[in-house]
Amino acid sequence: MTPERLRAFCLEFNASAEEFPFGPETSVFKVLGKMFALTALDARPLTVNLKCQPDEAIRLRETHPAVVPGWHMNKRHWNTVTVSGVPDRLLREMIEDSYDLVVAGLPRADRLRLDRP
């Protein structure tokens, strides 16, 4: 997946937005102010930090060398994924799972507005 496709995919989700709280080189993708993905789109190799259920995070790390504990993140809940090291389909699933986990932590009214009860 290219940096452009990664950005576009992250922005496809309801109420998602790209912000730059850590400087212009780091894209932070949020849903209603809560982060679900973090990446430096011009970095090589391209990596992305994604939220993950703790058990699933461990499973992904054990089965995919390109998935490691989240860099500068809570390593129990976040993975850093080298984009070129996983199939596009898996990467898309991990991004959607990250988005869904963040949405699940939002107030019910916000979840209903996003059409993700």
Side-chain angles (χ1 to χ4, degrees), residues 15-83:
S16 65
E18 182 180 21
E19 298 180 9
F20 301 90
F22 306 116
E25 67 283 345
T26 305
S27 295
V28 177
F29 296 95
K30 296 182 176 184
V31 54
L32 299 182
K34 303 290 184 181
M35 178 172 58
F36 69 92
L38 178 140
T39 184
L41 290 169
D42 59 352
R44 298 297 174 260
L46 178 60
T47 63
V48 61
N49 284 2
L50 300 169
K51 192 163 187 161
C52 194
Q53 290 281 0
D55 292 340
E56 180 68 3
I58 292 168
R59 187 191 70 73
L60 287 166
R61 293 171 197 163
E62 289 173 347
T63 56
H64 301 282
V67 180
V68 297
W71 187 67
H72 285 295
M73 307 295 278
N74 179 326
K75 293 174 183 8
R76 179 177 156 88
H77 296 279
W78 289 84
N79 281 334
T80 297
V81 181
T82 300
V83 172

Side-chain angles (χ1 to χ4, degrees), residues 3-24:
E4 295 78 19
R5 287 177 52 205
L6 177 61
R7 171 185 277 135
F9 186 71
C10 287
L11 292 173
E12 286 179 8
F13 297 101
N14 292 342
S16 65
E18 182 180 21
E19 298 180 9
F20 301 90
F22 306 116

